[in-house]
Amino acid sequence: MSGDHRTLALLLFSAFVAVTLGITTWVSRRRQNSAEEFYAGGRLFSPMENGFAIAGDYMSAASFLGISGLIALFGYDGLLYSVGFLVAWLVVLFLVAELVRNVGRFTLGDVVAARMRERPVRIAAGTSSVTVSVLYLVAQMVGAGSLVALLLGGASGAARTWTVIGVGALLVIYVSLGGMRATTWIQIVKAVLLMAGAIALTVLVLVRFHGNVNELLNTAAAQSGHGRDFLAPGLRYGGDWTARIDFISLGLALVLGTAGLPHILSRFYTVPTALAARRSVIWSIGLIGGFYLMTIVLGFGAAALVGTDAVRASNAAGNTAVPLLALDLGGGEGSAGGTVLFAVVAAIAFATILAVVAGITLASSASVAHDLYASLKRAHTKRRDEVAVARLAAAGIGAVAIALSLLAQNLNVAFLVGLAFAVAASANLPVLLYSLFWRNFTTRGAVWSVYGGLIPAVLLVVVSPVVSGSPESILPGVDFAYFPLQNPGVVSIPLGFLAGWFGTVTSTEPPDEARHAETEVRSLTGAGAV
């Protein structure tokens, strides 16, 4: 990329960083020592504000960069991510949003501990939440590295490293100083910017093809090098039965994983009532639905105008398809319009990454402090101590995510998020649904459900082609890929549900029917909810 691209993109990105740091500084002047303020922003956000914030949390670098890149590389098969991410919100709306808001306080552990022995279930839920959050953070950091590589012509590995470290440092500042209130306003600003950028690019793509979607698809197929196969299922997941099962596994993870994501669940606690939580999800569905429809246009637009080979040459995983599309739509390399549009899109993508990592880090640090630390120190813990621990945990989680992301720079960000969804669907969703809907569920069942989904999901990823056994793996020089699927969901999700059931039916501890009845009334009516 030319010097103009770099300068303008960095200036715009710096402006966003300055604005968000200003928001964080302003918010930090308020008292942030109470858990209510730090974890939930005082529960003062309106449904519309929270809906925009949820959309901002959900529309990550995986959505903006990764999905469009996968569609540009694999056509029809890349659509699974757009469809899966969107359909997942129906699960959230109808099954968990209102109930979680009524039963919980700050984290997933609160929901499960409402009717169980607190210490073991909080430790299990906290461990799972941190694992999911770190995997999700890695995807965002990889997106940041891909953008910087594109800005600098792919020549500087050191620049990638320092950018990832810089993003990690900023997320620690956002979370430590501003808590949930600052994070929410950053998400709202980012959601508005991202929607505006996506709308502008989508309109420009459709104008280029005179509104003829059929012409857009035919051109994308012609430029892809795969012909009509580009518009049919099977280019990525249709080679053999292993690939087809992998397709099913990915679909399960995407549709079921959202309801188990810690940073999404924590959003339901920032509004004053359960009704407001449900209305928040309705607002977010409208925004997210429109956005994912636009990623389809952007993905096929990148294939048609930039070309699949050019996208792959820039980044093998396709993470730079949208910035390259913006460059072409603005007039091409060296043009003023191309320079401006490329810089704007790159800055929005950076803003997307920063905002999402702040939300994820806040949720995971809350799990460390409110579930893990408070469980181990329950008799002596004060809310003020929890907040201090959460701030320290943000730094530790950021450091771990930075280290892992430097190993995964060659993987597609949407694919990495798919792994996080698989772990969330395997470990968090079973225990959440059992706790809300199964009268006889016990503490042993809850603990077994979490670990019975979490451990297989993580182990299967480690012994899959994601980590070793192929040139695209994290460790391409070795081969211990004993599990053939890239996404473990089809195995680990049933194991999570099965472990919860088996732990419950073999438990010697009788279920606490009184606490279940109390939780059920509270979840359905909101009586006694915080």
Side-chain angles (χ1 to χ4, degrees):
M1 296 294 109
S2 68
D4 291 339
H5 291 109
R6 299 178 201 167
T7 303
L8 188 55
L10 292 174
L11 284 174
L12 291 170
F13 174 60
S14 299
F16 177 82
V17 171
V19 169
T20 52
L21 285 176
I23 292 172
T24 304
T25 303
W26 170 66
V27 169
S28 66
R29 293 177 180 174
R30 300 174 59 96
R31 285 186 62 84
Q32 295 284 322
N33 291 329
S34 73
E36 196 94 359
E37 272 286 334
F38 188 80
Y39 294 145
R43 309 188 199 278
L44 297 175
F45 292 101
S46 69
M48 185 182 74
E49 291 168 344
N50 197 45
F52 269 84
I54 290 173
D57 247 334
Y58 199 62
M59 297 184 305
S60 65
S63 303
F64 193 49
L65 302 177
I67 294 176
S68 299
L70 284 172
I71 294 173
L73 295 181
F74 301 106
Y76 183 95
D77 279 7
L79 291 176
L80 176 64
Y81 284 88
S82 289
V83 175
F85 283 144
L86 179 56
V87 171
W89 273 104
L90 299 178
V91 179
V92 176
L93 175 62
F94 291 117
L95 284 182
V96 302
E98 187 172 345
L99 305 183
V100 164
R101 172 61 186 80
N102 285 338
V103 176
R105 184 174 175 84
F106 303 123
T107 65
L108 170 67
D110 290 334
V111 179
V112 184
R115 49 176 294 211
M116 309 291 175
R117 284 186 289 115
E118 287 203 21
R119 184 169 180 172
V121 298
R122 284 192 181 277
I123 291 173
T127 302
S128 174
S129 295
V130 171
T131 303
V132 172
S133 298
V134 168
L135 284 172
Y136 212 108
L137 280 172
V138 168
Q140 311 310 313
M141 302 291 197
V142 169
S146 298
L147 273 175
V148 169
L150 180 61
L151 280 171
L152 302 179
S156 179
R160 274 195 189 201
T161 301
W162 283 109
T163 298
V164 169
I165 293 172
V167 170
L170 282 170
L171 70 88
V172 172
I173 292 171
Y174 290 149
V175 172
S176 300
L177 294 181
M180 179 60 84
R181 191 179 295 273
T183 300
T184 299
W185 282 110
I186 291 168
Q187 296 289 9
I188 292 170
V189 172
K190 167 257 176 142
V192 172
L193 289 174
L194 185 58
M195 288 297 292
I199 290 170
L201 290 179
T202 301
V203 169
L204 289 173
V205 170
L206 294 176
V207 167
R208 180 71 69 89
F209 290 93
H210 310 289
N212 190 333
V213 176
N214 189 52
E215 182 184 351
L216 166 64
L217 296 177
N218 288 333
T219 306
Q223 294 294 325
S224 70
H226 299 287
R228 302 299 297 181
D229 290 342
F230 191 69
L231 305 178
L235 195 59
R236 179 180 173 93
Y237 294 108
D240 52 27
W241 278 106
T242 300
R244 295 173 188 178
I245 295 173
D246 213 357
F247 182 84
I248 295 171
S249 184
L250 175 62
L252 282 173
L254 296 181
V255 171
L256 299 178
T258 300
L261 292 177
H263 65 293
I264 298 299
L265 293 175
S266 67
R267 282 264 153 235
F268 301 136
Y269 303 125
T270 63
V271 288
T273 66
L275 179 60
R278 184 173 288 272
R279 288 178 176 171
S280 297
V281 177
I282 294 172
W283 269 100
S284 65
I285 284 176
L287 293 167
I288 292 167
F291 176 77
Y292 282 120
L293 288 175
M294 289 188 285
T295 62
I296 297 172
V297 177
L298 298 182
F300 283 112
L305 299 176
V306 179
T308 298
D309 290 340
V311 170
R312 187 175 282 109
S314 172
N315 181 273
N319 294 329
T320 55
V322 172
L324 291 175
L325 174 64
L327 182 63
D328 186 276
L329 291 171
E333 180 77 32
S335 67
T339 298
V340 171
L341 197 56
F342 173 89
V344 168
V345 168
I348 289 174
F350 270 123
T352 297
I353 291 165
L354 276 181
V356 172
V357 296
I360 301 166
T361 305
L362 177 61
S364 54
S365 64
S367 292
V368 170
H370 187 63
D371 292 327
L372 297 177
Y373 173 79
S375 294
L376 297 174
K377 301 286 185 179
R378 179 61 62 188
H380 311 289
T381 300
K382 298 179 180 178
R383 293 295 184 197
R384 189 177 304 170
D385 296 335
E386 272 191 32
V387 174
V389 170
R391 289 180 167 135
L392 290 174
I397 290 165
V400 172
I402 288 169
L404 291 176
S405 66
L406 294 176
L407 296 173
Q409 287 292 330
N410 293 324
L411 298 178
N412 181 276
V413 289
F415 171 74
L416 286 169
V417 165
L419 296 181
F421 272 59
V423 177
S426 304
N428 292 347
L429 183 64
V431 72
L432 182 61
L433 294 183
Y434 279 149
S435 297
L436 291 173
F437 299 111
W438 190 10
R439 178 180 300 275
N440 295 324
F441 198 43
T442 64
T443 300
R444 176 193 280 185
V447 174
W448 284 24
S449 180
V450 173
Y451 293 128
L454 175 64
I455 295 173
V458 173
L459 287 180
L460 289 176
V461 170
V462 170
V463 297
S464 75
V466 173
V467 176
S468 69
S470 74
E472 295 80 24
S473 300
I474 294 175
L475 303 173
V478 294
D479 186 0
F480 47 86
Y482 305 114
F483 182 66
L485 305 182
Q486 292 190 331
N487 192 291
V490 73
V491 175
S492 57
I493 294 172
L495 284 177
F497 281 100
L498 183 62
W501 170 82
F502 189 70
T504 297
V505 298
T506 59
S507 175
T508 57
E509 172 192 6
D512 192 329
E513 294 189 7
R515 291 181 70 181
H516 168 75
E518 179 185 345
T519 302
E520 186 176 38
V521 171
R522 180 172 160 184
S523 68
L524 295 175
T525 67
V530 179

